[in-house]
Amino acid sequence: VKLVESGGGSVQSGGSLKLSCAVSGFSHSSYCMGWFRQAPEKEREEVAIINFDGQASYGDFVQGRFTISEDSDKNTVHLQMDRLLPEDTAMYYCAAFRFKCYSAGYWNSLKRGDNYWGQGTQVTVSS
């Protein structure tokens, strides 16, 4: 399984970026794809996740600024980020789970660290 992120970069506060995650070698009837982020000296946090049936969920801090989507071929996951803030600065990681989002399998996989991760893409927002 391979996840490759792209689209990170530097932008001014209020700007937009679109992250993409190319997925290969991953094929499960029930799955969850998502974006997480981690800033220096902070805990990793969930940004947005999307279930195999298209249902999406977002971190509280998103407040309608980001949109997660998946291409029809299910091979690419995007994160459109608008109205970016300096506090959005972090390394953003794409993740894939072999379980439905928020299922017991999802949480156990996240806890064990045996889901799949990309290498990350840096997002820097200046004020």
Side-chain angles (χ1 to χ4, degrees):
V1 177
K2 192 173 182 182
L3 284 69
V4 180
E5 301 99 333
S6 61
S10 297
V11 66
Q12 288 193 323
S13 183
S16 298
L17 282 173
K18 184 174 184 177
L19 306 183
S20 296
C21 175
V23 184
S24 59
F26 183 77
S27 178
H28 295 275
S29 57
S30 296
Y31 64 87
C32 178
M33 299 293 300
W35 289 92
F36 292 73
R37 71 185 188 184
Q38 187 165 21
E41 301 182 0
K42 289 192 175 181
E43 298 268 328
R44 182 182 63 197
E45 59 185 349
E46 176 189 296
V47 179
I49 56 172
I50 186 166
N51 215 17
F52 62 94
D53 59 5
Q55 188 171 17
S57 179
Y58 299 88
D60 290 341
F61 60 87
V62 171
Q63 298 190 345
R65 301 180 296 129
F66 300 171
T67 304
I68 189 171
S69 62
E70 192 175 24
D71 284 355
S72 58
D73 62 6
K74 308 290 187 182
N75 290 332
T76 308
V77 180
H78 305 283
L79 183 68
Q80 176 67 43
M81 303 188 294
D82 298 315
R83 305 197 306 277
L84 282 161
L85 302 168
E87 49 263 46
D88 293 319
T89 295
M91 185 71 80
Y92 283 69
Y93 297 92
C94 179
F97 298 81
R98 294 169 289 129
F99 309 95
K100 182 179 178 180
C101 295
Y102 296 147
S103 64
Y106 168 90
W107 292 114
N108 287 333
S109 185
L110 194 60
K111 186 178 180 180
R112 291 191 303 262
D114 61 5
N115 57 296
Y116 304 102
W117 294 96
Q119 81 287 353
T121 185
Q122 178 67 38
V123 171
T124 302
V125 185
S126 58
S127 57

